Amino acid sequence: MNDEKFQEAKEKINNASSIVFFTGAGVSAESGIATFRGVDGIWTKLKPEELANFDNFLKNPEMVWAWYKYRKEVVNESKPNPAHLAIAEAQKRFTEVTVITQNIDNLHRRAGSKTVYELHGNIQRNYCVKCGTFYNNDIDIEDKVPKCKCGGLIRPDIVWFGEMLPESEFELSEIASRNCDIFVIVGTSGVVYPAANMIFYAKESGAYIIEVNIERTEVSYLANASFFGKAGTVLPRLLELDDNSGQNLL
Ligand code: BV8
Ligand code: ZN
């Protein structure tokens, strides 16, 4: 890792009061949750438009529910990794820490992060497409297709392709992105919009942009500093939550 750049980034972090972490599937990769577009990405095997789209859900709810049951099991067996923990720990050091995540796995909250905006929903929440009643994990997912008391189909509370993102989460995320000193992009390919707009809001507002990823991405050009390595190793060091030998203090 380019030490000079790393020291510069640490310097910026030490002088910052507000920091935003914008995270994608890569921050949960070391918790055992597959990413979407990386080398073993989910979308290399399955078609997103078939699985993450409302029309197809209506046509084939059994298949879509089988896919989400599997993902719920994977998420329930996973736990926060050092990257999530470092982000949660950062709350003790900065006046303002905001997590804007595209992930649906709830791992930031389970790690202890307080201000978390979930732009693409949360796999532990479900709702009836007919009457909107929410069913959290108390639905019987043994049923092939869970049904509401009103007879409507229950769906996961996840934003599918072609669907709007939750308005208040999006607005609060935009405000945080436009008002932070440091904007840290962690583990995202940066190809999904409008979530990726947050990076541009931060850039336009003069934030210092740090990227943490295992490879270059479509948004690397926007970063003041990119650090290539696993989030679970880089973040504790960047946020000085390990001694400089890289030994993790979390
Ligand atoms: C909307 C839910 C309109 C399902 C998801 C053409 C061009 C541009 C945009 C579009 C277009 N055609 C259509 C669109 C819009 C579309 C979009 O952006 N498509 C893209 C793919 C081209 N967006 C939408 O449809 C959105 N809605 O636009 O609505 C509208 C407007 C008005 C009124 C009505 C409607 C909805 C988008 C949400 C889609 N939902 N998933 C599910 O999750 O089950 S998308 C999916 O991608 C996930 O939600 C995920 O969160 C999101 C982003 O992916 P990443 O998190 O970045 O994951 P990825 O695998 O891509 O990358 C992982 C990264 O981690 C890699 O870079 C890898 O190198 C790195 N990594 C791996 N390991 C590690 C690591 N880094 C660090 N450490 C490690 N250990
Ligand atoms: Zn209902």
Side-chain angles (χ1 to χ4, degrees):
M1 214 171 308
N2 168 342
D3 242 2
E4 212 177 286
K5 252 324 182 188
F6 204 64
Q7 292 318 320
E8 178 194 280
K10 278 188 165 182
E11 194 59 32
K12 295 278 183 190
I13 288 175
N14 290 338
N15 298 325
S17 59
S18 68
I19 186 166
V20 166
F21 294 93
F22 177 69
T23 68
V27 81
S28 299
E30 293 155 82
S31 297
I33 300 180
T35 60
F36 293 90
R37 297 170 188 85
V39 62
D40 308 335
I42 297 174
W43 294 155
T44 52
K45 302 170 192 85
L46 301 160
K47 287 205 177 13
E49 50 285 356
E50 277 175 18
L51 293 165
N53 138 319
F54 186 57
D55 296 341
N56 204 58
F57 173 67
L58 292 180
K59 270 193 246 133
N60 198 338
E62 289 80 4
M63 181 179 81
V64 175
W65 260 110
W67 156 241
Y68 280 98
K69 278 181 198 163
Y70 164 69
R71 290 183 67 202
K72 281 174 186 281
E73 281 152 19
V74 171
V75 164
N76 292 340
E77 276 148 35
S78 68
K79 57 185 190 5
N81 69 55
H84 298 105
L85 296 169
I87 290 172
E89 194 67 16
Q91 285 165 147
K92 297 180 187 146
R93 285 187 48 200
F94 296 90
T95 326
E96 210 175 339
V97 176
T98 307
V99 177
I100 302 172
T101 188
Q102 303 168 89
N103 299 340
I104 59 171
D105 56 33
N106 211 36
L107 287 178
H108 284 298
R109 279 212 188 83
R110 285 176 56 195
S113 286
K114 301 271 177 294
T115 309
V116 179
Y117 299 132
E118 294 167 321
L119 294 181
H120 291 163
N122 184 316
I123 200 162
Q124 295 178 330
R125 288 195 306 263
N126 314 278
Y127 64 90
C128 168
V129 298
K130 212 159 141 202
C131 69
T133 307
F134 267 89
Y135 291 80
N136 291 332
N137 266 350
D138 52 357
I139 49 164
D140 177 3
I141 61 170
E142 284 324 307
D143 295 352
K144 275 209 178 315
V145 178
K147 289 270 179 51
C148 174
K149 294 187 284 296
C150 80
L153 276 177
I154 296 176
R155 62 166 282 178
D157 182 17
I158 289 175
V159 180
W160 283 331
F161 287 104
E163 294 187 324
M164 291 280 281
L165 276 56
E167 209 170 318
S168 65
E169 314 270 299
F170 193 87
E171 276 166 17
L172 291 166
S173 299
E174 179 171 352
I175 293 166
S177 302
R178 288 190 184 283
N179 292 284
C180 64
D181 305 315
I182 307 268
F183 187 91
V184 189
I185 309 168
V186 189
T188 182
S189 56
V191 298
V192 175
Y193 287 84
N197 288 350
M198 299 299 155
I199 307 169
F200 296 86
Y201 298 148
K203 188 76 185 172
E204 282 158 24
S205 315
Y208 184 83
I209 313 260
I210 297 170
E211 178 184 37
V212 176
N213 201 308
I214 52 172
E215 60 189 4
R216 282 191 70 76
T217 67
E218 289 197 11
V219 291
S220 297
Y221 76 98
L222 292 163
N224 298 84
S226 286
F227 300 115
F228 298 115
K230 291 188 168 185
T233 310
V234 173
L235 274 179
R237 284 191 58 206
L238 191 63
L239 298 168
E240 285 169 328
L241 297 161
D242 67 10
D243 52 31
N244 285 331
S245 70
Q247 199 254 323
N248 214 314
L249 303 180
L250 285 168

